[in-house]
Amino acid sequence: MRELLPTLIFLAGVGQLLVLIASAQVPFRLNWREIFQSLPKLHRQMYWVYGGYVVLAIVGQVLVSVLCAEEHASGSGLARGVCGYMAVFWGVRLSLQGVLDVKEHLTAWWLRAGYYLLSLFFAYFTGVYALAAVWPL
């Protein structure tokens, strides 16, 4: 299993890139520009800043997962710490799947399928990075 870990981490990085591509649709599908017009300018700016930080965090995770999969699987203290952070990041996102009220937006079968596929991706990311963080305890 230990030999497979770099491949699993690399695939998690590719998967995160796919999640980023899908998430680029969120501002358009949820009509942020129109919805946020009623908010004060500072609040609108904060939404975009927060979204940008999340995107940058995921881009960083994609890069280190794809370019440094072997190092992440090495079991070093730094690798385990970074993988632990990434497991928590995706674990929180996975738990939000059960809290966010998205039903009114899942109006087509492919949107529902995509939503459940995202849940599987989040579970995969959480599991792979958690495994890399605790291996070889």
Side-chain angles (χ1 to χ4, degrees), residues 30 36 135:
L30 298 182
F36 292 168
W135 197 295

Side-chain angles (χ1 to χ4, degrees), residues 99-130:
V99 176
L100 298 175
D101 186 14
V102 298
K103 289 179 184 137
E104 70 179 270
H105 301 286
L106 303 179
T107 55
W109 72 266
W110 59 273
L111 290 170
R112 287 187 296 280
Y115 179 78
Y116 293 114
L117 183 60
L118 280 176
S119 298
L120 290 174
F121 272 104
F122 299 155
Y124 176 80
F125 303 154
T126 303
V128 166
Y129 293 122

Side-chain angles (χ1 to χ4, degrees), residues 19-69:
V19 167
L20 272 180
I21 292 168
S23 69
Q25 296 180 43
V26 169
F28 305 105
R29 300 263 333 143
L30 298 182
N31 202 15
W32 279 12
R33 200 168 296 281
E34 183 179 321
I35 298 294
F36 292 168
Q37 280 304 319
S38 63
L39 295 176
K41 183 177 181 180
L42 177 60
H43 293 193
R44 288 193 309 268
Q45 291 171 330
M46 289 172 60
Y47 269 97
W48 288 106
V49 169
Y50 294 156
Y53 270 98
V54 170
V55 167
L56 287 176
I58 297 172
V59 167
Q61 291 182 44
V62 167
L63 291 174
V64 298
S65 295
V66 169
L67 300 176
C68 306

